[in-house]
Structures are given as C-alpha cells and as structure tokens.
Amino acid sequence: MQADRRRLNPPAGGTAPPIFATPPKPTTLSRPKRSRKADEHRKLFLRTGIVPSASGSAYYEIPPQQPQDHQPSESTLVPQRSSLKITCTVHGPRPLPRNAQFSPNLLLSTHVKYAPFATRNRRGYVRDSSERDLGAHLDTALRGVIIGERWPKSGVEVVITVLEGEEDGWWGDEASRQEGGWGMMGVLAGCITVASAALVDAGIDCVDVISGGVAAVVQDVEQKGERQLVLDPCPAEHEKLRAACVVGYLQSRDELTECWIKGDAGVEVESLVDEAVKAASLSRTVFVEAIKESVQMKIQKKEVEDVNSRAKDGKGTKRDVEMTG
C-alpha cells in the first residue's frame, strides 16, 4: 500500500492533547505594588547594531521589576508584571523608484507591528487600528528630527516589531482588561527611543536625538483616593489610571515633536506634560551611553581592520626599493 504524498499523515504513535496549568484565582495573589518612587524610572536596556543586514538597528528592553516582597510560594506561570521588548530596523536611505514623483526631501515610512505572541491576547498577522495609530504617532515624532533636505529623491523605512508589549492592567483585574489602551502609551515611548537609536546607527543626519517619555495620573486606595503624578507607570501596579501622556523630547533644543494625552487630566495637564518630559530626559541618559558604546566599538573594529589590512599588504608586496647609482 503506497502512502498518499499529497496528504499530511498523522504520527505513527498516539498523541495526547497538551494540558495547561490553570492560573490561581485573583483572590490568591495580591496586586503588585509600586516599589519605585513617583519620580523614578524603571531600568532599561538599549543596544544598537543588532541586525548587520540593515542600515541601522536597535533593541530596547524594560525587564519586569521583581517585587521586594516576592515569595517563592507566590510564583505562578502568569507574570504579575509585563515587560517591554522592542526591535527596530532602518532600511535606507535608498533611491526612489523611477516612476515615483520627484521629492526634494527624504520620504519617511514608519511601520509598527506587534508580534503574535507579544501580548496575552494573541495578535493577528494583519495590522489593526492600534498598530496603525502607533505608526502615525511615531511618524509625527520622527519627522521633526530628520534633516530631509540632504537626501532628495530618496526614502527611508523604519520597521518596529514589538516582541513583548505592556499589558493594559493587572491580569487578575477584569475591569482593567476591559478598558484597554494604557499599555500603548509605554509602547509608544519605547518606540520613539529605539527608532531614534536606529536612525543614529544608520548614520542619518538629525537635528538632535529624540527620546520618549511617559507619565500618568493614578488614583490608588493606598493614597486614600488622591490623584498622584508618576513617571513611567506600569499599569499592573495601579488600580486606576486617570490620564497618561507620551512625549517625544529633544533635550538640546528643548522642543517637543510629539505629545499624546489620553484620559482626563483635568487641571493637571501642564504638570503631566512636565513629568513626561522628565521621563524622556531620564531615558536620554541611557540612550547617550548606548550611542557612545556603539561608536567606541565601531572605532575599535575599524582599527583592527586597518591593522589586518596593513599586515596583509606587507606580507604580499615588497615596499623596499633599492636605489642604484
């Protein structure tokens, strides 16, 4: 009997369906508490040049914060806090197609996409409205930074993939999962920072490096219901987020290229924007150190290549010339 090559045959042995451990009920675990101060930013990691085939690339990560009162008995398969992992690649500048219209400036194209496994609710392979909104806000933030007059008839593409995105709230709180939208604010701040790092790695001239920052107005029971301004909020650590603000900040020029406010900030709008600017300034310090480290690595690599080329040239050819009278 011949096997049908056009059909996917089942395995020879029997298989059993996978069994997933059910997470504990929300009542067995308490909501994670914010151990940081209100004006303290989470630790972040940034590195450039992770994709050699691209003109420029960068990787941005905010690892999950381990609670101080964490006990082994409370460990579960579902993390209480979400982390943020973003990659960015820059392709270009490259010439436009011949059938394209003449453009005196550099044409910028931004593309933001969540990986299917980035959030607890599986994402689709086609971009949804939230991803298109993130791409539009990122495009606005970067247009005020790039010096487009130096690349006429050219285009550059910024592609961002969110490997792990922040959740909109604590996994044990049903109400926070229904509201939605708060996790996008932190994702946009990370996208602005990592995109700027990738542009610098690609060697594209900019008026200044841009960093993203986010701040929020929260209202927790421990604060007796009082509204409080916090930097770099983690939605899982707060019961109610009343408003949030994301900015794209140019520190040397003291300018904002992007400002997105979500929620009802009331009379605290100006203070909320100021706190978001502080968060962007703190992110800039890590950004600058990552750029310095990348430049030093490139200089060392160039020096090693020059030494190797000189040694090879000295082996293969003779530079000594005898002079005869």
Side-chain angles (χ1 to χ4, degrees):
M1 182 177 179
Q2 296 182 356
D4 190 357
R5 297 182 179 179
R6 295 172 296 178
R7 181 179 301 173
L8 296 177
N9 297 322
T15 58
I19 301 176
F20 297 95
T22 58
K25 296 182 180 180
T27 55
T28 60
L29 289 177
S30 58
R31 178 189 296 274
K33 299 179 182 179
R34 182 186 176 102
S35 57
R36 298 173 287 129
K37 298 179 181 179
D39 58 348
E40 185 178 354
H41 200 286
R42 287 177 290 181
K43 296 181 180 180
L44 57 90
F45 174 81
L46 181 64
R47 176 171 292 181
T48 60
I50 61 171
V51 182
S53 60
S55 302
S57 59
Y59 174 75
Y60 178 95
E61 179 180 354
I62 297 182
Q65 305 296 314
Q66 189 73 9
Q68 297 179 355
D69 55 349
H70 178 74
Q71 299 178 2
S73 59
E74 295 183 357
S75 60
T76 61
L77 297 177
V78 181
Q80 289 188 296
R81 292 173 173 86
S82 58
S83 59
L84 185 60
K85 300 177 182 178
I86 305 174
T87 62
C88 178
T89 56
V90 174
H91 305 277
R94 49 194 176 191
L96 296 176
R98 293 185 177 181
N99 57 356
Q101 295 182 354
F102 174 79
S103 175
N105 299 324
L106 180 69
L107 294 181
L108 175 65
S109 175
T110 58
H111 184 93
V112 179
K113 183 71 182 73
Y114 280 85
F117 50 83
T119 55
R120 190 165 295 119
N121 296 329
R122 186 172 179 83
R123 293 273 183 166
Y125 293 96
V126 181
R127 288 202 305 168
D128 55 13
S129 59
S130 62
E131 294 166 339
R132 289 192 292 268
D133 289 343
L134 289 175
H137 286 287
L138 179 63
D139 183 88
T140 304
L142 298 181
R143 281 189 184 277
V145 180
I146 298 176
I147 306 177
E149 296 84 1
R150 299 186 180 180
W151 288 278
K153 300 184 294 183
S154 303
V156 63
E157 186 178 5
V158 179
V159 181
I160 287 184
T161 303
V162 182
L163 300 177
E164 186 173 352
E166 284 192 324
E167 301 291 340
D168 297 333
W170 183 44
W171 66 272
D173 193 356
E174 295 290 342
S176 63
R177 273 188 280 177
Q178 294 176 359
E179 290 180 3
W182 300 116
M184 290 176 53
M185 311 299 282
V187 171
L188 178 60
C191 289
I192 294 174
T193 304
V194 72
S196 180
L199 290 174
V200 173
D201 186 57
I204 298 177
D205 294 341
C206 301
V207 296
D208 188 15
V209 293
I210 180 174
S211 57
V214 58
V217 179
V218 300
Q219 190 173 7
D220 298 334
V221 176
E222 294 183 357
Q223 303 295 334
K224 299 180 181 180
E226 297 180 358
R227 296 161 67 97
Q228 184 184 13
L229 288 171
V230 295
L231 295 182
D232 186 29
C234 179
E237 297 176 346
H238 304 285
E239 297 180 4
K240 294 183 180 179
L241 275 75
R242 296 301 183 183
C245 175
V246 181
V247 297
Y249 182 57
L250 305 175
Q251 185 172 356
S252 63
R253 302 169 65 95
D254 195 19
E255 295 179 359
L256 295 179
T257 60
E258 170 63 18
C259 183
W260 182 23
I261 299 178
K262 177 182 176 63
D264 183 13
V267 297
E268 300 171 330
V269 175
E270 295 184 1
S271 301
L272 182 61
V273 175
D274 292 339
E275 294 298 318
V277 170
K278 292 180 182 178
S281 301
L282 295 175
S283 301
R284 180 188 171 94
T285 57
V286 181
F287 185 9
V288 172
E289 293 297 328
I291 293 176
K292 290 181 180 179
E293 182 180 356
S294 176
V295 171
Q296 292 177 358
M297 292 178 62
K298 289 182 179 180
I299 292 175
Q300 294 176 359
K301 184 179 179 181
K302 182 64 176 177
E303 292 177 353
V304 172
E305 291 178 353
D306 292 343
V307 171
N308 294 336
S309 63
R310 290 174 184 174
K312 186 177 180 180
D313 185 57
K315 267 187 178 181
T317 60
K318 292 183 179 180
R319 294 184 175 274
D320 296 335
V321 180
E322 295 181 3
M323 302 296 294
T324 59

Short mmCIF file of all heavy atoms in Angstrom, two decimals, residues 206-268:
data_model
loop_
_atom_site.label_atom_id
_atom_site.label_comp_id
_atom_site.label_asym_id
_atom_site.label_seq_id
_atom_site.Cartn_x
_atom_site.Cartn_y
_atom_site.Cartn_z
N CYS A 206 20.35 64.07 11.89
CA CYS A 206 19.19 64.56 12.64
C CYS A 206 19.58 65.84 13.38
O CYS A 206 20.76 66.05 13.69
CB CYS A 206 18.68 63.52 13.64
SG CYS A 206 18.20 61.94 12.91
N VAL A 207 18.60 66.66 13.66
CA VAL A 207 18.87 67.89 14.40
C VAL A 207 19.25 67.59 15.84
O VAL A 207 19.97 68.35 16.49
CB VAL A 207 17.65 68.83 14.34
CG1 VAL A 207 17.38 69.28 12.92
CG2 VAL A 207 16.41 68.17 14.93
N ASP A 208 18.76 66.49 16.37
CA ASP A 208 19.06 66.08 17.74
C ASP A 208 18.52 64.67 17.94
O ASP A 208 17.68 64.21 17.16
CB ASP A 208 18.41 67.05 18.75
CG ASP A 208 18.85 66.77 20.19
OD1 ASP A 208 19.85 66.05 20.36
OD2 ASP A 208 18.20 67.27 21.12
N VAL A 209 19.03 63.99 18.94
CA VAL A 209 18.45 62.68 19.28
C VAL A 209 17.17 62.91 20.06
O VAL A 209 17.08 63.81 20.89
CB VAL A 209 19.45 61.83 20.09
CG1 VAL A 209 20.65 61.46 19.26
CG2 VAL A 209 19.89 62.56 21.36
N ILE A 210 16.18 62.08 19.77
CA ILE A 210 14.88 62.22 20.41
C ILE A 210 14.65 61.02 21.33
O ILE A 210 15.01 59.89 20.99
CB ILE A 210 13.75 62.32 19.36
CG1 ILE A 210 12.39 62.48 20.04
CG2 ILE A 210 13.76 61.14 18.42
CD1 ILE A 210 11.26 62.74 19.07
N SER A 211 14.09 61.28 22.48
CA SER A 211 13.79 60.22 23.45
C SER A 211 12.33 60.33 23.85
O SER A 211 11.75 61.42 23.88
CB SER A 211 14.69 60.34 24.69
OG SER A 211 14.55 61.61 25.29
N GLY A 212 11.74 59.19 24.12
CA GLY A 212 10.33 59.15 24.52
C GLY A 212 10.18 58.98 26.02
O GLY A 212 10.99 58.32 26.68
N GLY A 213 9.15 59.60 26.56
CA GLY A 213 8.85 59.51 27.98
C GLY A 213 7.36 59.46 28.21
O GLY A 213 6.58 60.01 27.43
N VAL A 214 6.95 58.81 29.29
CA VAL A 214 5.54 58.67 29.60
C VAL A 214 5.34 58.95 31.08
O VAL A 214 6.18 58.59 31.92
CB VAL A 214 5.02 57.25 29.23
CG1 VAL A 214 5.82 56.18 29.95
CG2 VAL A 214 3.55 57.11 29.52
N ALA A 215 4.25 59.61 31.40
CA ALA A 215 3.83 59.88 32.78
C ALA A 215 2.33 59.70 32.86
O ALA A 215 1.62 59.70 31.84
CB ALA A 215 4.23 61.29 33.22
N ALA A 216 1.81 59.51 34.07
CA ALA A 216 0.39 59.22 34.24
C ALA A 216 -0.12 59.81 35.54
O ALA A 216 0.66 60.08 36.48
CB ALA A 216 0.14 57.70 34.21
N VAL A 217 -1.42 60.01 35.55
CA VAL A 217 -2.15 60.40 36.77
C VAL A 217 -2.86 59.16 37.28
O VAL A 217 -3.73 58.62 36.60
CB VAL A 217 -3.16 61.53 36.49
CG1 VAL A 217 -3.91 61.91 37.75
CG2 VAL A 217 -2.46 62.75 35.91
N VAL A 218 -2.47 58.69 38.46
CA VAL A 218 -3.02 57.46 39.03
C VAL A 218 -3.81 57.79 40.28
O VAL A 218 -3.65 58.86 40.89
CB VAL A 218 -1.89 56.45 39.36
CG1 VAL A 218 -1.12 56.10 38.11
CG2 VAL A 218 -0.95 57.02 40.41
N GLN A 219 -4.66 56.84 40.65
CA GLN A 219 -5.51 57.00 41.83
C GLN A 219 -5.65 55.63 42.49
O GLN A 219 -6.34 54.76 41.98
CB GLN A 219 -6.88 57.56 41.45
CG GLN A 219 -7.74 57.97 42.63
CD GLN A 219 -9.01 58.66 42.17
OE1 GLN A 219 -9.31 58.72 40.99
NE2 GLN A 219 -9.78 59.19 43.12
N ASP A 220 -4.93 55.43 43.59
CA ASP A 220 -4.92 54.16 44.29
C ASP A 220 -5.58 54.29 45.65
O ASP A 220 -5.69 55.38 46.22
CB ASP A 220 -3.48 53.65 44.47
CG ASP A 220 -2.81 53.40 43.13
OD1 ASP A 220 -3.54 53.14 42.15
OD2 ASP A 220 -1.57 53.47 43.06
N VAL A 221 -5.99 53.14 46.19
CA VAL A 221 -6.63 53.12 47.51
C VAL A 221 -5.63 53.48 48.60
O VAL A 221 -5.96 54.14 49.58
CB VAL A 221 -7.26 51.74 47.76
CG1 VAL A 221 -7.85 51.66 49.16
CG2 VAL A 221 -8.33 51.44 46.72
N GLU A 222 -4.36 53.05 48.42
CA GLU A 222 -3.36 53.33 49.44
C GLU A 222 -3.11 54.83 49.59
O GLU A 222 -2.72 55.28 50.67
CB GLU A 222 -2.06 52.62 49.09
CG GLU A 222 -2.17 51.10 49.13
CD GLU A 222 -0.84 50.44 48.84
OE1 GLU A 222 0.12 51.19 48.56
OE2 GLU A 222 -0.76 49.21 48.90
N GLN A 223 -3.32 55.57 48.52
CA GLN A 223 -3.16 57.02 48.58
C GLN A 223 -4.44 57.72 49.01
O GLN A 223 -4.58 58.93 48.83
CB GLN A 223 -2.71 57.55 47.20
CG GLN A 223 -1.44 56.93 46.69
CD GLN A 223 -0.23 57.28 47.53
OE1 GLN A 223 -0.21 58.32 48.19
NE2 GLN A 223 0.76 56.41 47.52
N LYS A 224 -5.38 56.93 49.59
CA LYS A 224 -6.66 57.47 50.08
C LYS A 224 -7.45 58.14 48.96
O LYS A 224 -8.15 59.15 49.18
CB LYS A 224 -6.43 58.45 51.22
CG LYS A 224 -5.75 57.83 52.43
CD LYS A 224 -5.54 58.85 53.53
CE LYS A 224 -4.83 58.21 54.73
NZ LYS A 224 -4.61 59.20 55.82
N GLY A 225 -7.33 57.59 47.77
CA GLY A 225 -8.10 58.11 46.65
C GLY A 225 -7.57 59.39 46.05
O GLY A 225 -8.22 59.96 45.17
N GLU A 226 -6.41 59.85 46.48
CA GLU A 226 -5.85 61.09 45.94
C GLU A 226 -5.15 60.82 44.61
O GLU A 226 -4.52 59.79 44.43
CB GLU A 226 -4.87 61.70 46.94
CG GLU A 226 -5.52 62.11 48.27
CD GLU A 226 -4.52 62.72 49.22
OE1 GLU A 226 -3.31 62.77 48.84
OE2 GLU A 226 -4.92 63.13 50.31
N ARG A 227 -5.24 61.78 43.72
CA ARG A 227 -4.58 61.68 42.43
C ARG A 227 -3.10 61.99 42.59
O ARG A 227 -2.71 62.91 43.32
CB ARG A 227 -5.23 62.63 41.43
CG ARG A 227 -6.67 62.28 41.13
CD ARG A 227 -7.41 63.47 40.53
NE ARG A 227 -6.92 63.82 39.22
CZ ARG A 227 -7.46 63.43 38.07
NH1 ARG A 227 -8.54 62.66 38.09
NH2 ARG A 227 -6.98 63.82 36.92
N GLN A 228 -2.26 61.22 41.89
CA GLN A 228 -0.82 61.35 42.01
C GLN A 228 -0.18 61.24 40.65
O GLN A 228 -0.61 60.44 39.81
CB GLN A 228 -0.26 60.28 42.95
CG GLN A 228 1.24 60.40 43.21
CD GLN A 228 1.78 59.26 44.05
OE1 GLN A 228 1.08 58.26 44.26
NE2 GLN A 228 3.00 59.40 44.54
N LEU A 229 0.86 62.05 40.42
CA LEU A 229 1.62 62.00 39.18
C LEU A 229 2.82 61.07 39.35
O LEU A 229 3.58 61.20 40.32
CB LEU A 229 2.11 63.41 38.80
CG LEU A 229 1.05 64.39 38.30
CD1 LEU A 229 1.65 65.78 38.17
CD2 LEU A 229 0.50 63.93 36.96
N VAL A 230 2.98 60.14 38.42
CA VAL A 230 4.08 59.18 38.48
C VAL A 230 4.76 59.13 37.12
O VAL A 230 4.13 59.31 36.07
CB VAL A 230 3.59 57.77 38.88
CG1 VAL A 230 3.05 57.78 40.29
CG2 VAL A 230 2.56 57.25 37.90
N LEU A 231 6.07 58.87 37.15
CA LEU A 231 6.85 58.67 35.94
C LEU A 231 6.84 57.19 35.55
O LEU A 231 6.84 56.32 36.42
CB LEU A 231 8.30 59.13 36.14
CG LEU A 231 8.58 60.60 36.40
CD1 LEU A 231 10.07 60.82 36.52
CD2 LEU A 231 8.01 61.47 35.33
N ASP A 232 6.86 56.93 34.27
CA ASP A 232 6.98 55.57 33.75
C ASP A 232 6.03 54.62 34.47
O ASP A 232 6.46 53.70 35.18
CB ASP A 232 8.42 55.09 33.88
CG ASP A 232 8.64 53.74 33.22
OD1 ASP A 232 7.94 53.43 32.25
OD2 ASP A 232 9.51 52.98 33.70
N PRO A 233 4.72 54.80 34.34
CA PRO A 233 3.79 53.95 35.08
C PRO A 233 3.73 52.53 34.51
O PRO A 233 3.86 52.32 33.31
CB PRO A 233 2.45 54.66 34.89
CG PRO A 233 2.59 55.34 33.57
CD PRO A 233 4.03 55.76 33.46
N CYS A 234 3.56 51.57 35.38
CA CYS A 234 3.29 50.19 35.00
C CYS A 234 1.81 49.94 35.29
O CYS A 234 1.39 50.00 36.45
CB CYS A 234 4.17 49.23 35.78
SG CYS A 234 3.89 47.49 35.39
N PRO A 235 0.98 49.70 34.26
CA PRO A 235 -0.47 49.58 34.50
C PRO A 235 -0.84 48.52 35.52
O PRO A 235 -1.87 48.65 36.19
CB PRO A 235 -1.02 49.25 33.11
CG PRO A 235 -0.02 49.80 32.15
CD PRO A 235 1.31 49.62 32.82
N ALA A 236 -0.03 47.48 35.67
CA ALA A 236 -0.37 46.42 36.62
C ALA A 236 -0.21 46.87 38.06
O ALA A 236 -0.79 46.26 38.97
CB ALA A 236 0.51 45.20 36.37
N GLU A 237 0.54 47.93 38.31
CA GLU A 237 0.82 48.36 39.68
C GLU A 237 -0.19 49.36 40.20
O GLU A 237 -0.13 49.72 41.38
CB GLU A 237 2.21 48.97 39.75
CG GLU A 237 3.33 48.00 39.42
CD GLU A 237 4.70 48.66 39.41
OE1 GLU A 237 4.74 49.91 39.40
OE2 GLU A 237 5.71 47.94 39.42
N HIS A 238 -1.11 49.83 39.38
CA HIS A 238 -2.05 50.87 39.79
C HIS A 238 -3.47 50.40 39.53
O HIS A 238 -3.75 49.76 38.51
CB HIS A 238 -1.77 52.17 39.04
CG HIS A 238 -0.37 52.67 39.19
ND1 HIS A 238 0.10 53.26 40.35
CD2 HIS A 238 0.69 52.64 38.33
CE1 HIS A 238 1.37 53.59 40.19
NE2 HIS A 238 1.76 53.22 38.97
N GLU A 239 -4.34 50.75 40.45
CA GLU A 239 -5.74 50.33 40.31
C GLU A 239 -6.47 51.14 39.24
O GLU A 239 -7.23 50.58 38.46
CB GLU A 239 -6.44 50.48 41.67
CG GLU A 239 -5.87 49.58 42.75
CD GLU A 239 -6.59 49.76 44.07
OE1 GLU A 239 -7.57 50.54 44.10
OE2 GLU A 239 -6.17 49.15 45.07
N LYS A 240 -6.23 52.44 39.22
CA LYS A 240 -6.92 53.29 38.27
C LYS A 240 -5.94 54.28 37.66
O LYS A 240 -5.25 55.00 38.39
CB LYS A 240 -8.07 54.05 38.93
CG LYS A 240 -9.22 53.16 39.40
CD LYS A 240 -10.34 53.99 39.99
CE LYS A 240 -11.49 53.09 40.46
NZ LYS A 240 -12.59 53.89 41.06
N LEU A 241 -5.87 54.29 36.35
CA LEU A 241 -5.10 55.30 35.63
C LEU A 241 -6.09 56.29 35.04
O LEU A 241 -6.90 55.94 34.19
CB LEU A 241 -4.25 54.67 34.52
CG LEU A 241 -2.88 54.13 34.93
CD1 LEU A 241 -3.03 52.81 35.68
CD2 LEU A 241 -1.99 53.94 33.70
N ARG A 242 -6.02 57.50 35.51
CA ARG A 242 -6.94 58.53 35.06
C ARG A 242 -6.51 59.18 33.76
O ARG A 242 -7.34 59.52 32.92
CB ARG A 242 -7.09 59.61 36.15
CG ARG A 242 -7.73 59.10 37.44
CD ARG A 242 -9.09 58.53 37.17
NE ARG A 242 -9.76 58.10 38.39
CZ ARG A 242 -10.95 57.50 38.42
NH1 ARG A 242 -11.58 57.26 37.27
NH2 ARG A 242 -11.49 57.13 39.55
N ALA A 243 -5.22 59.37 33.58
CA ALA A 243 -4.71 60.01 32.36
C ALA A 243 -3.26 59.62 32.19
O ALA A 243 -2.57 59.24 33.14
CB ALA A 243 -4.85 61.53 32.43
N ALA A 244 -2.79 59.69 30.96
CA ALA A 244 -1.40 59.39 30.63
C ALA A 244 -0.96 60.29 29.48
O ALA A 244 -1.78 60.72 28.66
CB ALA A 244 -1.22 57.91 30.26
N CYS A 245 0.34 60.56 29.44
CA CYS A 245 0.89 61.45 28.43
C CYS A 245 2.21 60.88 27.93
O CYS A 245 3.05 60.44 28.73
CB CYS A 245 1.12 62.85 29.00
SG CYS A 245 1.93 64.01 27.87
N VAL A 246 2.39 60.87 26.62
CA VAL A 246 3.64 60.44 25.97
C VAL A 246 4.18 61.62 25.17
O VAL A 246 3.42 62.29 24.45
CB VAL A 246 3.40 59.23 25.04
CG1 VAL A 246 4.71 58.79 24.41
CG2 VAL A 246 2.78 58.10 25.80
N VAL A 247 5.47 61.86 25.29
CA VAL A 247 6.10 62.95 24.56
C VAL A 247 7.34 62.43 23.85
O VAL A 247 7.97 61.46 24.28
CB VAL A 247 6.50 64.13 25.50
CG1 VAL A 247 5.27 64.73 26.14
CG2 VAL A 247 7.49 63.67 26.55
N GLY A 248 7.68 63.08 22.73
CA GLY A 248 8.96 62.90 22.07
C GLY A 248 9.75 64.18 22.28
O GLY A 248 9.38 65.24 21.76
N TYR A 249 10.84 64.10 23.03
CA TYR A 249 11.52 65.29 23.55
C TYR A 249 12.91 65.41 22.97
O TYR A 249 13.68 64.44 22.94
CB TYR A 249 11.59 65.21 25.07
CG TYR A 249 12.22 66.40 25.75
CD1 TYR A 249 11.71 67.68 25.56
CD2 TYR A 249 13.32 66.25 26.58
CE1 TYR A 249 12.28 68.78 26.18
CE2 TYR A 249 13.90 67.34 27.21
CZ TYR A 249 13.38 68.60 27.01
OH TYR A 249 13.96 69.68 27.62
N LEU A 250 13.24 66.64 22.51
CA LEU A 250 14.58 67.00 22.07
C LEU A 250 15.19 67.86 23.16
O LEU A 250 14.83 69.02 23.32
CB LEU A 250 14.55 67.76 20.74
CG LEU A 250 13.83 67.08 19.57
CD1 LEU A 250 13.79 68.01 18.38
CD2 LEU A 250 14.52 65.78 19.22
N GLN A 251 16.12 67.29 23.90
CA GLN A 251 16.62 67.98 25.10
C GLN A 251 17.50 69.18 24.75
O GLN A 251 17.37 70.24 25.35
CB GLN A 251 17.41 67.00 25.97
CG GLN A 251 17.86 67.60 27.30
CD GLN A 251 18.46 66.55 28.22
OE1 GLN A 251 18.47 65.38 27.90
NE2 GLN A 251 18.97 66.99 29.35
N SER A 252 18.40 69.04 23.77
CA SER A 252 19.30 70.14 23.45
C SER A 252 18.56 71.34 22.85
O SER A 252 18.98 72.48 23.04
CB SER A 252 20.38 69.67 22.48
OG SER A 252 19.80 69.24 21.26
N ARG A 253 17.45 71.09 22.19
CA ARG A 253 16.65 72.18 21.61
C ARG A 253 15.46 72.55 22.48
O ARG A 253 14.78 73.55 22.19
CB ARG A 253 16.16 71.79 20.21
CG ARG A 253 17.28 71.46 19.25
CD ARG A 253 16.74 70.82 17.98
NE ARG A 253 15.93 71.73 17.21
CZ ARG A 253 16.36 72.49 16.20
NH1 ARG A 253 17.63 72.44 15.87
NH2 ARG A 253 15.54 73.27 15.55
N ASP A 254 15.19 71.73 23.50
CA ASP A 254 14.06 71.95 24.40
C ASP A 254 12.75 72.08 23.60
O ASP A 254 11.98 73.03 23.74
CB ASP A 254 14.27 73.20 25.25
CG ASP A 254 13.30 73.26 26.43
OD1 ASP A 254 12.73 72.21 26.79
OD2 ASP A 254 13.10 74.37 26.99
N GLU A 255 12.51 71.06 22.75
CA GLU A 255 11.31 71.05 21.91
C GLU A 255 10.62 69.70 22.00
O GLU A 255 11.25 68.67 22.33
CB GLU A 255 11.68 71.33 20.44
CG GLU A 255 12.25 72.70 20.19
CD GLU A 255 12.62 72.90 18.73
OE1 GLU A 255 12.42 71.94 17.95
OE2 GLU A 255 13.10 73.99 18.37
N LEU A 256 9.34 69.72 21.71
CA LEU A 256 8.53 68.51 21.66
C LEU A 256 8.09 68.29 20.22
O LEU A 256 7.51 69.19 19.60
CB LEU A 256 7.29 68.61 22.56
CG LEU A 256 7.52 68.71 24.07
CD1 LEU A 256 6.18 68.83 24.80
CD2 LEU A 256 8.28 67.52 24.60
N THR A 257 8.36 67.12 19.69
CA THR A 257 7.88 66.78 18.35
C THR A 257 6.63 65.92 18.39
O THR A 257 5.98 65.74 17.35
CB THR A 257 8.96 66.03 17.57
OG1 THR A 257 9.31 64.83 18.28
CG2 THR A 257 10.21 66.89 17.42
N GLU A 258 6.29 65.39 19.54
CA GLU A 258 5.10 64.55 19.69
C GLU A 258 4.57 64.68 21.11
O GLU A 258 5.35 64.68 22.08
CB GLU A 258 5.41 63.09 19.38
CG GLU A 258 4.32 62.09 19.72
CD GLU A 258 3.04 62.33 18.92
OE1 GLU A 258 3.10 63.01 17.88
OE2 GLU A 258 1.99 61.83 19.34
N CYS A 259 3.26 64.82 21.24
CA CYS A 259 2.61 64.88 22.55
C CYS A 259 1.24 64.23 22.41
O CYS A 259 0.39 64.73 21.67
CB CYS A 259 2.49 66.32 23.04
SG CYS A 259 1.75 66.46 24.70
N TRP A 260 1.04 63.14 23.11
CA TRP A 260 -0.22 62.39 23.05
C TRP A 260 -0.74 62.22 24.47
O TRP A 260 -0.08 61.63 25.32
CB TRP A 260 0.01 61.04 22.38
CG TRP A 260 -1.23 60.21 22.24
CD1 TRP A 260 -2.51 60.66 22.23
CD2 TRP A 260 -1.32 58.79 22.09
NE1 TRP A 260 -3.39 59.62 22.07
CE2 TRP A 260 -2.68 58.46 21.98
CE3 TRP A 260 -0.36 57.78 22.01
CZ2 TRP A 260 -3.11 57.15 21.82
CZ3 TRP A 260 -0.79 56.48 21.85
CH2 TRP A 260 -2.15 56.17 21.75
N ILE A 261 -1.92 62.76 24.73
CA ILE A 261 -2.54 62.70 26.05
C ILE A 261 -3.80 61.86 25.95
O ILE A 261 -4.64 62.09 25.07
CB ILE A 261 -2.86 64.10 26.59
CG1 ILE A 261 -1.58 64.93 26.73
CG2 ILE A 261 -3.56 64.02 27.95
CD1 ILE A 261 -1.82 66.35 27.20
N LYS A 262 -3.92 60.92 26.85
CA LYS A 262 -5.08 60.02 26.88
C LYS A 262 -5.71 60.09 28.26
O LYS A 262 -5.02 60.05 29.28
CB LYS A 262 -4.66 58.59 26.57
CG LYS A 262 -5.79 57.56 26.64
CD LYS A 262 -5.26 56.16 26.37
CE LYS A 262 -6.35 55.11 26.52
NZ LYS A 262 -7.43 55.30 25.53
N GLY A 263 -7.04 60.20 28.33
CA GLY A 263 -7.75 60.25 29.60
C GLY A 263 -8.12 61.67 29.97
O GLY A 263 -8.00 62.61 29.18
N ASP A 264 -8.54 61.82 31.21
CA ASP A 264 -8.99 63.12 31.74
C ASP A 264 -7.96 63.60 32.75
O ASP A 264 -7.95 63.17 33.91
CB ASP A 264 -10.37 62.98 32.38
CG ASP A 264 -10.92 64.31 32.87
OD1 ASP A 264 -10.35 65.35 32.50
OD2 ASP A 264 -11.91 64.29 33.62
N ALA A 265 -7.08 64.50 32.32
CA ALA A 265 -6.06 65.03 33.21
C ALA A 265 -6.55 66.21 34.02
O ALA A 265 -5.96 66.55 35.05
CB ALA A 265 -4.82 65.43 32.42
N GLY A 266 -7.62 66.86 33.59
CA GLY A 266 -8.17 67.99 34.33
C GLY A 266 -7.22 69.17 34.33
O GLY A 266 -6.65 69.55 33.30
N VAL A 267 -7.03 69.74 35.52
CA VAL A 267 -6.16 70.91 35.65
C VAL A 267 -4.68 70.53 35.74
O VAL A 267 -3.82 71.41 35.83
CB VAL A 267 -6.55 71.73 36.90
CG1 VAL A 267 -7.96 72.27 36.76
CG2 VAL A 267 -6.42 70.89 38.16
N GLU A 268 -4.40 69.23 35.70
CA GLU A 268 -3.02 68.77 35.85
C GLU A 268 -2.35 68.48 34.51
O GLU A 268 -1.38 67.73 34.45
CB GLU A 268 -2.99 67.50 36.71
CG GLU A 268 -3.57 67.70 38.10
CD GLU A 268 -3.72 66.38 38.85
OE1 GLU A 268 -3.94 65.36 38.17
OE2 GLU A 268 -3.63 66.38 40.08
#
